[in-house]
Structures are given as structure tokens and as C-alpha cells.
Amino acid sequence: MDLMMKLNLLRTLMVIIGMAGAFATPASAVVEININKGNVEPLPIAITDFVSGDGIGAKISAVVEADLKRSGLFAPINRAAFIEKISNPDQAPRFEDWKVVNAQALVVGRISKEGDGRLRAEFRLWDTFAGQQMTGQQFFTQPENWRRVAHIIADAIYERITGEKGYFDTRVVFVSESGPKTDRKRQLAIMDQDGENVRMLTGSKDIVLTPRFSPSRQEVTYMSFEGQQPRVYLLQLETGQREVVGNFPGMTFSPRFSPDGQRVIMSLQQDGNANIYTMDLRSRTTTRLTSTAAIDTSPSYSPDAARIVFESDRGGRQQLYVMNADGSGQQRISFGDGSYSTPVWSPRGDLIAFTKQSGGKFSIGVMKPDGSGERILTSGFHNEGPTWAPNGRVLMFFRQNAGAGGPQLYSIDLTGYNEQLVKTPTYASDPAWSPLLE
């Protein structure tokens, strides 16, 4: 998305919450999902085709349905079972018709075009058993942003029913891989979180690695071998402006932003060892945090920036360590069989995701910051590189199956029961999830 498109979107995408003039939102509703209970039974929900004159309503409601279904928390009801056909979303539905098909929640909407060409998208969320509206909102945007409006509606429904922020109005940056194994092209690419709207951010001439989103703005860091020299770059997604973060002797690994987006933390290799450094992006000053005759790499800040998790082979094989933000108090937190790598702190602060290699398999798992409560979510021939959705409830990672031509992206929630392929037009690896868009 270029700067002009984003500015237009910010000017025209208006959220009007609780269309209270027509229907009051109840103080409490029967329908809710407690996502802290572990494995949650998906909520039956009916999502009708949004009323429109040109078919755009059906397309938007289909994206809303796909988002909610993919979360694993909602079970959209087959539209062939619907009894009532919604022709006027401003009128209360016939609740008995929706109870018959066991729709505990109902989504209706309308898409219309304003005189200036903008789309007006309206929706209402109903609790069918209580016979009450739970929320109603409307949005204005340019027609080309219709998919984004659908993601925002899905986020609003998710938040109203679960009580937590959604993650559908987000993007993922990743490494797009194409060509034969002997001459694999690796480009920086970006897409919506559902795999749509893929576009390349770099050319195919130079290898790129380890892209990472800023948690506070639409910026990406990544490593590139442009000119046969490994460097860390900072890319502004709105403008396409790119700059070198710094020229360092030796190799640079795993650059990642601090929570406020003002610093980058990374691993620099010198004299066969790799240690962790931070760089202030304004002053370009660097601070060394570890000093060992080992390989310390893959650092990730806690969301309050008070602590850092990283991997190190200082004990003989890769394990996870936590230290204070100034490098003090370094302590090991992983003690299971095998080796641990690619740690990343949850945006909620409650868990650390990691890759674990043990027994000939690669697993994606989570543990608490003190190392307790280790839980494996998925295992296979080669799984690696977890990244968190901004609400800390879903992970994306890449997988390569035995004999497969290349890696693919998958998502999985914290229950470990909702694993899904994220389709991309090329092979894909090393995903990094954006914060919610504004």
C-alpha cells in the first residue's frame, strides 16, 4: 500500500460504533466465547449475504465468514439451511427462524455506494436466543479496499463475542521462494493475513532473510546479501523508502524491533562468535548485551521491553535464555530433550514460542517466560520460524514436508487443534505478522 492510498484510507475509513439511534446494545448478552478455557467448542453463527445491488455484499460477507471460520472459534452455518432471507438489515430478524437452524449469533449487513463513489458498509450482530442486537457499525472506504472492510467487520465480531481484539485486519511479510533448489530465488513479499493480495517488495536478484515487522508502524527490517555483502535494511512500506541500518563487520543475524519501534536488536558475528547488540535507530549507536565464546542469536523483546529471550549454544547445544534488557541476569529457561531455537515473545507477554528439534522432528511449541509449562503445538519433518498474531492467540510458521519441493506457511492456535495451510502463489518461509492496521 503506497502512502497516498493509506492517507486516503485514513481519511475515508470511518468507524461508527453502536448505531444506537436504531437499536440499543444490551448491557450483557448471552452469546460469548471464553477463549481462556483451552479447547473451545466453535460457536454456531449465521452470516448472511450482505444486501447490495452489484454482488459486492456477498463477496464481503464471504470474507467475513472465512476469517471467523479460520479462527477455529466460529462454525458458520451452511447458507442453504437459512429459512429467512434478509432483505432489510435495518429490521429485526425473525429470531425463531434462526433458532431452528441453531444460529446462536446472526450477522446481517448492507453495502451501498455514496455519491462520491465511496462504499458504505454496514453490519449488525444479533444474539438470536436473547433477541437482542450485540453491536452495529458502519464504515466508509474506497471500493478497492473492500477486502479490508471485510477483515475489520470480522475483527469487530470477534472482539464483541470473545472480549479480545481480533487479528484479521493485518498483514504478513515473508520470504517468497521460487525456482529449483540449486538456484532458489528468495524475495521479500507481503500479503494479507489470509494469503490474499500478495505482492513482492524486492527483486529476485539478491537473497533476503529474516524479515520482521515493526510493532508500532508499517516498517520492516530484513537481511539482504545485496552486492554479496550481508546488511540489515529498514523498509518503509508506505513509501517504499529503504535504508541500511548499519554496516557491520562479519555476519548479521535475526534483526528484530523493540516494542516501541525505536531500536533494533540483532546478533553480530565476529571472530567465530556471535553476540547480541541493540541499535538506536535515531542515533545509530550500538550497545553490546552479551559477550560469550558462543553463538548467541535470535533475540526477541518482551512486550514491556524489560526482558529479552534469545538462543545460545553456550551450554553445548542450542537452548533458550532470558536476560534483562541491559544484558544482566542471563539465565537458561529450556531444559527439555533436544535443541531450541527461534524464540519469540508473545504480544500478551505470557508465553514464548519456539522451534524445537528432537527425535528427528521439528516442533513448534510455547512455554512460559520462566521455562515452565512447555507445550508442543505441532510436529513434523521440518517446522520452523513461529510468529505471533497481534492478539497473541494464533501463530504462523513455515513447514517443509519430506520430499516436498519447498516450504509453505501454516497457522495454528494455542490449542494446537486448528492448524491450517496459508496458501501462497510460491513457496514461502520465515513469516512475520504485522500489528493491527490503523
Side-chain angles (χ1 to χ4, degrees):
M1 181 182 297
D2 60 27
L3 180 59
M4 185 59 66
M5 182 178 294
K6 182 170 183 183
L7 289 175
N8 288 337
L9 184 61
L10 291 176
R11 281 196 294 265
T12 60
L13 189 59
M14 300 168 53
V15 181
I16 303 175
I17 300 177
M19 297 151 64
F23 298 96
T25 301
S28 61
V30 174
V31 174
E32 64 177 17
I33 299 175
N34 183 353
I35 59 179
N36 294 306
K37 292 195 309 181
N39 192 16
V40 177
E41 188 70 25
L43 177 80
I45 187 170
I47 303 168
T48 64
D49 284 342
F50 290 3
V51 176
S52 68
D54 57 2
I56 188 66
K59 292 169 66 175
I60 288 177
S61 59
V63 173
V64 172
E65 179 177 317
D67 279 347
L68 295 176
K69 182 178 181 180
R70 200 168 49 253
S71 75
L73 299 177
F74 298 86
I77 296 169
N78 191 320
R79 297 182 187 190
F82 294 176
I83 299 171
E84 181 184 14
K85 178 176 175 60
I86 300 295
S87 58
N88 184 358
D90 294 331
Q91 293 181 349
R94 297 196 304 265
F95 295 112
E96 291 303 319
D97 288 352
W98 298 102
K99 292 179 186 177
V100 168
V101 298
N102 194 35
Q104 296 182 34
L106 169 66
V107 180
V108 301
R110 177 193 291 115
I111 308 299
S112 55
K113 185 167 287 189
E114 298 291 285
D116 60 4
R118 293 179 302 162
L119 289 182
R120 175 177 177 174
E122 308 167 70
F123 84 95
R124 301 181 191 276
L125 173 65
W126 294 91
D127 180 333
T128 58
F129 284 82
Q132 295 176 313
Q133 180 177 305
M134 300 178 69
T135 189
Q137 301 185 22
Q138 63 180 353
F139 311 89
F140 296 86
T141 189
Q142 299 300 328
E144 61 267 24
N145 294 319
W146 68 268
R147 288 190 63 87
R148 186 168 174 207
V149 166
H151 294 318
I152 293 172
I153 291 172
D155 278 333
I157 295 167
Y158 182 102
E159 183 174 2
R160 181 63 185 87
I161 293 180
T162 68
E164 298 200 0
K165 290 285 187 183
Y167 58 92
F168 306 117
D169 186 30
T170 57
R171 298 187 289 180
V172 175
V173 66
F174 64 98
V175 175
S176 171
E177 302 190 15
S178 59
K181 283 186 177 181
T182 55
D183 187 26
R184 186 62 54 88
K185 308 297 183 185
R186 290 178 171 85
Q187 298 173 253
L188 194 63
I190 194 168
M191 65 181 181
D192 296 346
Q193 53 77 29
D194 59 356
E196 297 291 333
N197 293 329
V198 176
R199 64 184 176 97
M200 300 300 162
L201 299 174
T202 63
S204 59
K205 183 184 294 186
D206 303 300
I207 294 175
V208 299
L209 299 170
T210 61
R212 300 290 182 261
F213 249 107
S214 167
S216 60
R217 57 178 62 88
Q218 293 299 303
E219 291 181 340
V220 173
T221 65
Y222 65 97
M223 184 175 144
S224 173
F225 285 82
E226 187 173 328
Q228 306 302 311
Q229 177 68 33
R231 292 187 178 95
V232 175
Y233 289 87
L234 180 65
L235 176 66
Q236 303 277 351
L237 293 177
E238 294 109 334
T239 64
Q241 181 181 347
R242 190 184 69 153
E243 59 182 304
V244 176
V245 172
N247 287 311
F248 306 101
M251 289 285 288
T252 309
F253 300 101
S254 306
R256 195 182 290 272
F257 285 95
S258 62
D260 62 4
Q262 299 299 315
R263 288 165 288 163
V264 169
I265 190 168
M266 55 196 151
S267 177
L268 304 181
Q269 185 177 27
Q270 296 174 328
D271 302 324
N273 303 326
N275 285 284
I276 295 172
Y277 292 74
T278 62
M279 169 178 275
D280 187 299
L281 290 174
R282 292 162 297 187
S283 66
R284 291 298 200 265
T285 58
T286 59
T287 303
R288 184 170 179 166
L289 299 181
T290 66
S291 182
T292 63
I295 296 177
D296 298 342
T297 189
S298 298
S300 173
Y301 277 101
S302 62
D304 63 1
R307 290 180 291 171
I308 296 164
V309 62
F310 63 100
E311 66 177 86
S312 176
D313 66 353
R314 63 183 67 181
R317 61 182 180 182
Q318 292 167 293
Q319 297 292 337
L320 303 187
Y321 292 76
V322 167
M323 63 181 171
N324 296 324
D326 62 359
S328 64
Q330 298 177 24
Q331 58 180 346
R332 179 175 163 180
I333 62 169
S334 63
F335 293 93
D337 294 334
S339 59
Y340 295 75
S341 60
T342 68
V344 56
W345 219 302
S346 165
R348 301 167 61 88
D350 57 340
L351 294 170
I352 292 170
F354 57 84
T355 302
K356 181 177 181 178
Q357 185 178 5
S358 178
K361 293 183 177 181
F362 285 79
S363 304
I364 302 297
V366 293
M367 66 174 63
K368 295 180 181 179
D370 63 1
S372 65
E374 179 179 326
R375 215 159 29 90
I376 298 300
L377 302 181
T378 184
S379 295
F381 176 74
H382 187 185
N383 300 306
E384 195 172 353
T387 181
W388 290 96
N391 70 351
R393 292 294 182 184
V394 180
L395 287 162
M396 192 176 290
F397 62 97
F398 69 94
R399 164 181 294 160
Q400 179 150 348
N401 294 313
Q408 294 177 293
L409 303 184
Y410 286 79
S411 65
I412 192 167
D413 64 24
L414 289 182
T415 68
Y417 292 105
N418 185 34
E419 181 176 297
Q420 300 197 30
L421 172 68
V422 182
K423 293 183 179 180
T424 53
T426 64
Y427 297 132
S429 63
D430 216 350
W433 219 314
S434 82
L436 280 170
L437 300 177
E438 296 180 356

